[in-house]
Amino acid sequence: MAKVLMNGNSAIGEAAIRAGCQCYFGYPITPQNELTEYMATHLSRKKGCTFIQAESEISAINMVYGASLAGVRAMTSSSSPGISLKQEGISYLAACELPAVIVNMTRGGPGLGSISAAQSDYFQATRGGGHGDYRTIVLAPSSVQELADLTYKAFDLSDKYRVPLVILGDGMLGQMIEPVEFSYEAPKEPIIRNNALRGAKGRTSRIVKTFTSNPATVEEINWSLFRRYQLIKQEEVVWDTFMVEDAQLIVVAFGIAARIAKGAIKSARIEGMKVGMLRPITLWPFPAEKVREVANRTNYFLVFEMNMGQMIEDVQLALEGAGEVSFYGRTGGVIPTPNEVLRVISRLYYQKGLK
Amino acid sequence: MKKIYTRPKSLKRTPFHYCPGCGHSITHKIMTELIDEMNLQDKTIGIPPPGCSVFAYNYFDIDMAESAHGRGAAVATGLKRAYPEAIVFTYQGDGDLAAIGTAETIHASNRGENITAIFINNAVYGMTGGQMAPTTLLSQKTTTTPYGRDDKIEGYPIKMSEILALVKGSAYIERVAVNSPANIIKAKKAIRKAFQVQIDCLGFSMVEILSPCPTNWKMSPVESWKWIDEVMVKEFPLGVIKDITGKKDAG
Amino acid sequence: MKGYIEIDQVLCKGCEICTFFCPKGMINSSDKLNPSGYRVAVFNDNSECTGCAICAVVCPEVAIEVYRG
């Protein structure tokens, strides 16, 4: 298929339909409305598919839970304040081992914040977000093309491990228009998972539950989840690197911040500074081993995020004191320019006496 | 002699954990009788709530999935839309349906979702130990209205059936009670009709069931069954509140 | 004798609802404890049972089976 120009939000919608998403439930919130609208236009008319504009984000995630019970691919999307409301449902999805794709086109916070791009939901996304011991896989795309590609991957991974999965984008990625190519063709037949609740016909009845009165049983459920999380950590870590081979200073950035950092690094290279970048694509599981590997070559790291410093904790944990980690961030929806980041890189580069 | 009354097939052999005289038990029984009689065991999916009846899945021998508190109508919506061949019911208490889940319930009803809500109204929070419910009667004492519910402070008992009857997408709403042989038979008839409305794809159906909670009402089972007739029905009158089918009895 | 009932002694919780509603007053509470510690109801068969099944309809525990001839 030829490339088409599309905004990021719509690209997720198109990719989701091609990934076999049958149900979308959402509630309007800026800056992700184009996704909800895309599904209203394109998914609702597809045979056997459902689009509902729910009465709240809480309802939307619980509708996803219901559709996931029936064994079909389902998704919801929102932006930061709405994602906070969805946390209850995500916790239940995790506990019941139900796949679901949740898109967060993050905006400035806390509170109502701003409608501009931010990355301040990193902790919420990578630490589970709701109550209880659980994790969600978190994918962080940094272009419209990657939004589409990671959307297919999102449904596959979520189904494979039976865990809810968060696509952590931001308001800028959602709004920006770029060429995108869709490599998937929508499946001819609906995808229906095993172990779905579709009536006890020819088998014994099934129960999907989270509550038991015996704490030891709940502990065992947690162990079973964490054994799976361990497997995900071993198998599914994804990252990207940019000019790290000879780099004296490594910028660690994800999502749209990595796009901005890339511009800054290119300029820095022109000025003769040996700067590279490590870009985690899975934020959970975090590419800790890759960070340690890069630390064999240089001691100097600059974590750049559009928040007050959240991923930096994962970088520090990964390094276990092995490197020197600096931080630069803008937050609240302020979008830094590559030049601004270049100034930070230059200052750090010469302060540390790098050549 | 012929056995004329026995345990329904779709009711598991597990003894109920409910207190003696509890309305949940009666409701489970008549629902499973109906599931047998209407031949729905292999296509019905139940959504029980948090609360005493969270363990409903231990008794109904059908597919069941627990919902978060108040979200039954949303979960049922997602499930039914994804798999319209199923008969989907939510089983919800008064706190679940009339307090924390009011929005989900009203909007599922307004969309005319083809689901059935079984709404247990016992005017009290059962499992948490007898706190005020949105349906607690005025001057009724609970652990959080120790001096009796005062409309100046706690407002009035909310009437969900009447509210939902105003919503255009609802098809059938009836309030019944499970406190006497006649009322139990009427309750069963109402649930049968609600299921039939769903089978006929006519829209949202709900049966509100005035249900005894002897433990939290601090009464004997017999007293609690009488209290429904003597006190509760005055605030929550029994009968069909909305019926768009035009037929009196279920088919 | 037109009918009779059997009360499952394990399921019965001694709530006395059947006792209250039996039109012939044939079901009584007893001092007999079941494994859960409830005082179970007993059927006093004096041949007046019609097998009307009211006791079974009201029994929350589904502990009563009814026979009619």
Side-chain angles (χ1 to χ4, degrees):
Chain A
M1 189 193 154
K3 286 193 173 182
V4 288
L5 272 176
M6 218 179 221
N7 67 53
N9 285 328
S10 303
I12 300 174
E14 180 58 30
I17 292 171
R18 285 165 183 264
C21 173
Q22 266 183 269
C23 293
Y24 174 93
F25 308 102
Y27 184 86
I29 182 170
T30 309
Q32 60 82 55
N33 293 315
E34 293 79 6
L35 173 49
T36 312
E37 288 160 1
Y38 193 90
M39 295 313 237
T41 310
H42 298 280
L43 183 72
S44 63
R45 293 295 170 92
K46 274 182 74 88
K47 193 172 163 279
C49 294
T50 292
F51 164 88
I52 296 180
Q53 178 174 329
E55 56 275 14
S56 72
E57 285 92 348
I58 301 174
S59 290
I61 191 75
N62 280 285
M63 289 174 189
V64 168
Y65 175 94
S68 190
L69 283 171
V72 307
R73 290 188 159 182
M75 82 184 291
T76 184
S77 65
S78 190
S79 181
S80 309
I83 295 292
S84 294
L85 288 170
K86 290 188 196 292
Q87 294 303 337
E88 173 194 78
I90 299 172
S91 169
Y92 278 72
L93 286 161
C96 294
E97 303 178 22
L98 289 170
V101 173
I102 300 116
V103 178
N104 180 0
M105 302 312 264
T106 313
R107 60 189 250 181
L112 202 49
S114 75
I115 59 167
S116 175
Q119 297 184 320
S120 33
D121 298 350
Y122 179 91
F123 280 151
Q124 187 195 48
T126 57
R127 267 62 179 168
H131 64 284
D133 259 336
Y134 74 93
R135 296 296 169 112
T136 56
I137 299 176
V138 184
L139 303 179
S142 73
S143 67
V144 174
Q145 182 62 56
E146 212 173 37
L147 278 175
D149 295 342
L150 290 182
T151 299
Y152 315 129
K153 190 182 171 75
F155 281 100
D156 290 343
L157 280 180
S158 180
D159 273 5
K160 181 176 173 190
Y161 293 101
R162 297 188 70 96
V163 294
L165 182 148
V166 174
I167 296 178
L168 192 68
D170 62 74
M172 190 166 164
L173 272 173
Q175 301 293 321
M176 65 201 269
I177 296 173
E178 287 189 314
V180 53
E181 193 172 359
F182 295 100
S183 53
Y184 268 47
E185 286 300 325
K188 299 264 181 299
E189 292 297 316
I191 298 168
I192 296 168
R193 282 188 307 276
N194 293 332
N195 300 323
L197 283 198
R198 294 172 84 86
K201 196 167 200 148
R203 58 162 171 81
T204 52
S205 56
R206 263 181 208 137
I207 299 168
V208 176
K209 60 171 182 170
T210 63
F211 183 79
T212 83
S213 44
N214 182 0
T217 310
V218 182
E219 188 181 41
E220 188 41 55
I221 291 168
N222 275 280
W223 273 109
S224 138
L225 289 178
F226 273 74
R227 281 191 286 270
R228 199 169 327 152
Y229 297 160
Q230 206 58 41
L231 195 65
I232 296 170
K233 278 182 174 178
Q234 282 165 19
E235 304 289 332
E236 306 297 347
V237 181
V238 187
W239 67 87
D240 188 21
T241 54
F242 179 64
M243 303 186 101
V244 289
E245 287 69 26
D246 61 341
Q248 305 254 314
L249 173 68
I250 299 288
V251 178
V252 188
F254 70 93
I256 198 68
R259 273 303 262 292
I260 297 166
K262 203 170 189 175
I265 291 166
K266 281 180 187 165
S267 306
R269 285 278 174 175
I270 292 167
E271 292 177 22
M273 290 177 273
K274 289 177 184 155
V275 187
M277 177 166 68
L278 172 62
R279 173 169 76 93
I281 294 174
T282 51
L283 300 182
W284 193 92
F286 188 75
E289 242 172 80
K290 188 68 193 171
V291 172
R292 278 195 292 276
E293 187 196 311
V294 173
N296 288 334
R297 282 174 258 170
T298 177
N299 265 335
Y300 299 100
F301 290 84
L302 169 64
V303 177
F304 166 53
E305 300 176 72
M306 280 154 62
N307 58 42
M308 293 299 282
Q310 299 192 14
M311 183 179 66
I312 186 175
E313 293 190 4
D314 281 335
V315 175
Q316 286 166 329
L317 278 170
L319 287 170
E320 294 173 340
E324 207 178 289
V325 186
S326 305
F327 177 76
Y328 184 68
R330 296 297 298 271
T331 193
V334 176
I335 299 164
T337 63
N339 267 343
E340 187 178 340
V341 180
L342 176 62
R343 281 199 296 277
V344 177
I345 289 172
S346 312
R347 192 166 62 228
L348 196 63
Y349 203 82
Y350 292 110
Q351 266 173 3
K352 302 294 176 193
L354 302 173
K355 298 239 162 48
Chain B
M1 281 205 202
K2 226 177 93 200
K3 197 187 272 189
I4 60 147
Y5 198 108
T6 188
R7 202 175 177 83
K9 190 163 70 68
S10 54
L11 184 65
K12 290 179 193 166
R13 190 65 202 163
T14 323
F16 290 128
H17 73 290
Y18 301 115
C19 307
C22 178
H24 280 306
S25 311
I26 296 281
T27 308
H28 286 16
K29 177 173 72 171
I30 57 179
M31 287 181 72
T32 46
E33 283 172 6
L34 278 170
I35 288 167
D36 288 356
E37 289 164 23
M38 299 174 82
N39 203 16
L40 297 174
Q41 191 179 9
D42 61 1
K43 58 180 122 179
T44 305
I45 304 172
I47 312 288
C52 292
S53 53
V54 67
F55 292 120
Y57 49 64
N58 289 338
Y59 311 123
F60 285 77
D61 193 4
I62 56 170
D63 279 4
M64 288 197 119
E66 174 195 316
S67 126
H69 195 28
R71 317 298 173 218
V75 172
T77 295
L79 183 58
K80 180 80 179 185
R81 292 281 191 117
Y83 184 47
E85 292 83 355
I87 300 300
V88 180
F89 72 83
T90 64
Y91 190 99
Q92 301 176 262
D94 37 45
D96 197 82
L97 185 136
I100 194 166
T102 323
E104 284 81 355
T105 307
I106 289 178
H107 287 277
S109 169
N110 190 44
R111 286 189 304 267
E113 297 292 345
N114 254 311
I115 55 174
T116 301
I118 304 298
F119 168 33
I120 303 294
N121 177 0
N122 57 15
V124 78
Y125 278 56
M127 195 185 232
T128 45
Q131 295 83 4
M132 183 188 74
T135 50
T136 291
L137 305 182
L138 289 181
S139 81
Q140 184 185 340
K141 284 183 182 169
T142 69
T143 58
T144 49
T145 53
Y147 310 107
R149 182 174 187 166
D150 178 351
D151 59 281
K152 303 272 185 306
I153 301 168
E154 286 101 9
Y156 298 89
I158 196 164
K159 296 182 177 175
M160 285 307 286
S161 287
E162 283 79 357
I163 290 171
L164 290 173
L166 292 174
V167 167
K168 192 108 189 198
S170 64
Y172 175 71
I173 312 278
E174 180 166 355
R175 186 183 287 120
V176 297
V178 285
N179 68 331
S180 70
N183 279 347
I184 291 168
I185 290 164
K186 278 186 205 156
K188 186 172 163 183
K189 231 171 154 180
I191 298 171
R192 178 191 294 274
K193 175 130 186 179
F195 281 161
Q196 193 60 47
V197 162
Q198 181 175 167
I199 293 166
D200 297 341
C201 296
L202 296 175
F204 182 85
S205 54
M206 181 174 89
V207 180
E208 175 177 348
I209 299 170
L210 305 187
S211 173
C213 181
T215 301
N216 286 305
W217 294 353
K218 307 197 187 332
M219 294 176 192
S220 75
V222 171
E223 281 167 2
S224 74
W225 285 43
K226 286 183 186 163
W227 191 77
I228 291 180
D229 275 339
E230 287 160 7
V231 181
M232 212 174 163
V233 294
K234 297 198 169 62
E235 184 67 33
F236 296 106
L238 305 183
V240 177
I241 294 158
K242 182 174 184 182
D243 182 0
I244 64 158
T245 66
K247 284 179 275 173
K248 260 201 153 163
D249 292 314
Chain C
M1 185 168 94
K2 286 189 209 147
Y4 71 97
I5 63 166
E6 280 173 1
I7 302 172
D8 188 317
Q9 307 277 290
V10 175
L11 293 178
C12 178
K13 287 185 183 154
C15 69
E16 300 180 4
I17 297 282
C18 54
T19 308
F20 179 76
F21 281 107
C22 175
K24 305 277 181 191
M26 294 176 66
I27 310 170
N28 302 112
S29 47
S30 72
D31 288 336
K32 206 174 134 195
L33 295 175
N34 74 2
S36 308
Y38 292 112
R39 290 179 197 280
V40 295
V42 290
F43 177 52
N44 266 337
D45 195 355
N46 59 5
S47 302
E48 278 183 43
C49 178
T50 60
C52 71
I54 282 177
C55 54
V57 168
V58 296
C59 175
E61 308 308 325
V62 206
I64 302 178
E65 288 189 327
V66 183
Y67 297 81
R68 201 187 287 161

